Amino acid sequence: MKKTFLLTIIGGVFLLAVGTFAIASVRADRVRDVPLPTFSASQDPATIARGEYLVWGPGHCAGCHGAVEQLEHYEATNERIPLTGGFEVPVPIGSFPAPNITQAKGTGIGEMSDAEIARSLRYGVGRNGQMLMPLMPFQNVSDEDLIAIISYLRTMKSVEKERPARALNPLGTMLFAFVMEPVPPEGTPPASVPRSISKEYGEYLGKNVANCYGCHTDRDLATGEFFGEPLGGGLELEHRDSIFVVPNITVGGKGSRMETWDEAGFIARVRTGKPSTPGSPMPWQPLNSMDDDDLKALWAWIESLQPVDRDTGPGLKVEGS
Ligand code: HEC
Ligand code: HEC
């Protein structure tokens, strides 16, 4: 009698767990309630040129969305490759291959409306309204620059290439279902940001476009939450089976890679286009295609930050096969 009772309890708990997981699997991909920006692409050549600069320069879209089989070639040469995707940023809660963002209909973003593309960059929600893994830093890109990016994407030729489906692991399924929400912009993103050699514009580029902040500041990779000092380094990033430690790059901080650098040295270093540790995930080539004024603005921002005394050691922690 007692035994049957126990079995019923165990069976009940089991069914409850299976049921919860089934609900979580559906809930993880539910349509999220975020705004649909009313932007539309422009045909204006200056707008398209600005978008092209952002996509191949500071926005480094190809670092993730470039055709995966040509990525190493791109990293070494900066030759433009189709943005057909396939690369997976390693994260602990599932596999999230970067989608094809060429104009291909069906496999690319040709069928997404301008507003839906804007929504994915600003509100982190994909074509069907499902939450995207928050890997892109563009929430606070200005209206003007977002329109420029979309306008340029619309001029790219379409290349058909199926992307592997994304797959959440059980932890990811539970987090997407019950815990994580798409990361919203901070406040109201600016309509436009004046371009100048200023720390304000440098901060805009470094935080919202080029993502220096997102890699060089320590954070929890499962949730994206920051806990380190700005640009103080320490984040461990897996890239092609190796594990890299992102260095401290504060100016004047003891043990920082940029402890004794000046503006000219910073620009000269970027112009080499080469990682200090081969195979690193740092987008050196896109950074190298930025113009001098933008690099000066970046420098002005980095130099204005609090120096952090921290030596994060060698750039490579574990060398992959
Ligand atoms: C750090 C890697 C990374 C960078 C850099 C990056 N993306 Fe993404 N992007 C992703 C991943 C991964 C996804 C899919 C996430 C998911 O499926 O949950 C994505 C999704 C998208 C989507 C949604 C597509 C869809 O089918 O719903 C668009 C549009 C997009 N990215 C455009 C861009 C543009 C434009 C840039 C450059 C300005 C860019 N991305 C830079 C990794 C990146
Ligand atoms: C995807 C993560 C990532 C992003 C984004 C990123 N970095 Fe890095 N960065 C790294 C890693 C990893 C290293 C160490 C290996 C290397 O030198 O490539 C590094 C190294 C550096 C170094 C040290 C070079 C040396 O000679 O020791 C500087 C300076 C630097 N990054 C500046 C920047 C700036 C400025 C930005 C934004 C414009 C940026 N990084 C964006 C990951 C990143």
Side-chain angles (χ1 to χ4, degrees), residues 21-318:
F21 195 72
I23 293 168
S25 303
V26 175
R27 228 185 109 76
D29 275 337
R30 72 189 182 279
V31 172
R32 309 279 172 152
D33 184 19
V34 301
L36 188 63
T38 52
F39 298 146
S40 40
S42 152
Q43 311 268 331
D44 168 43
T47 303
I48 293 172
R50 170 72 179 163
E52 181 174 10
Y53 176 73
L54 291 170
V55 164
W56 293 100
H60 66 272
C61 315
C64 295
H65 290 281
V68 66
E69 60 286 351
Q70 295 178 52
L71 263 187
E72 288 188 55
H73 176 71
Y74 164 73
E75 283 163 20
T77 62
N78 212 26
E79 271 169 39
R80 293 188 181 181
I81 55 174
L83 300 182
T84 48
F87 174 74
E88 276 183 39
V89 182
V91 285
I93 62 171
S95 96
F96 300 89
N100 179 347
I101 57 167
T102 73
Q103 289 303 305
K105 295 216 156 56
T107 59
I109 59 171
E111 273 162 7
M112 284 173 86
S113 67
D114 296 336
E116 283 169 342
I117 298 173
R119 182 178 64 179
S120 63
L121 298 176
R122 180 162 286 177
Y123 295 102
V125 154
R127 59 182 69 210
N128 304 316
Q130 82 285 13
M131 183 171 94
L132 298 171
M133 179 66 197
L135 291 165
M136 297 187 285
F138 310 118
Q139 289 86 342
N140 280 75
V141 164
S142 70
D143 297 353
E144 189 182 50
D145 283 345
L146 209 48
I147 291 169
I149 290 172
I150 298 166
S151 305
Y152 174 66
L153 291 177
R154 289 297 190 212
T155 68
M156 297 191 95
K157 71 169 195 260
S158 84
V159 184
E160 291 289 348
K161 177 102 185 287
E162 206 70 54
R163 69 156 148 160
R166 76 172 189 189
L168 294 154
N169 66 22
L171 174 64
T173 304
M174 296 306 271
L175 287 174
F176 265 49
F178 302 114
V179 183
M180 287 165 72
E181 291 294 338
V183 181
E186 271 172 43
T188 308
S192 110
V193 177
R195 273 167 252 166
S196 65
I197 303 177
S198 63
K199 70 172 198 286
E200 287 74 23
Y201 186 57
E203 175 173 9
Y204 170 73
L205 288 174
K207 273 191 161 168
N208 307 321
V209 188
N211 206 23
C212 324
Y213 188 87
C215 279
H216 283 275
T217 306
D218 220 351
R219 65 199 296 194
D220 180 338
L221 275 186
T223 61
E225 220 167 301
F226 290 98
F227 54 78
E229 304 289 335
L231 304 191
L235 182 67
E236 293 186 4
L237 282 181
E238 190 184 330
H239 190 61
R240 300 210 179 93
D241 299 333
S242 295
I243 297 177
F244 293 86
V245 183
V246 187
N248 175 0
I249 56 165
T250 59
V251 180
K254 283 200 190 61
S256 162
R257 290 284 177 93
M258 303 214 330
E259 182 172 351
T260 59
W261 293 21
D262 60 11
E263 184 194 83
F266 171 68
I267 295 178
R269 174 66 185 91
V270 170
R271 294 281 172 242
T272 69
K274 296 249 170 353
S276 60
T277 316
S280 124
M282 155 115 185
W284 281 104
Q285 296 284 3
L287 204 60
N288 188 15
S289 44
M290 291 172 68
D291 57 38
D292 275 0
D293 283 0
D294 281 5
L295 291 180
K296 287 179 184 168
L298 269 180
W299 170 261
W301 166 58
I302 299 173
E303 202 193 13
S304 76
L305 296 172
Q306 205 59 37
V308 176
D309 297 334
R310 179 177 191 187
D311 187 344
T312 55
L316 191 62
K317 188 174 175 195
V318 177

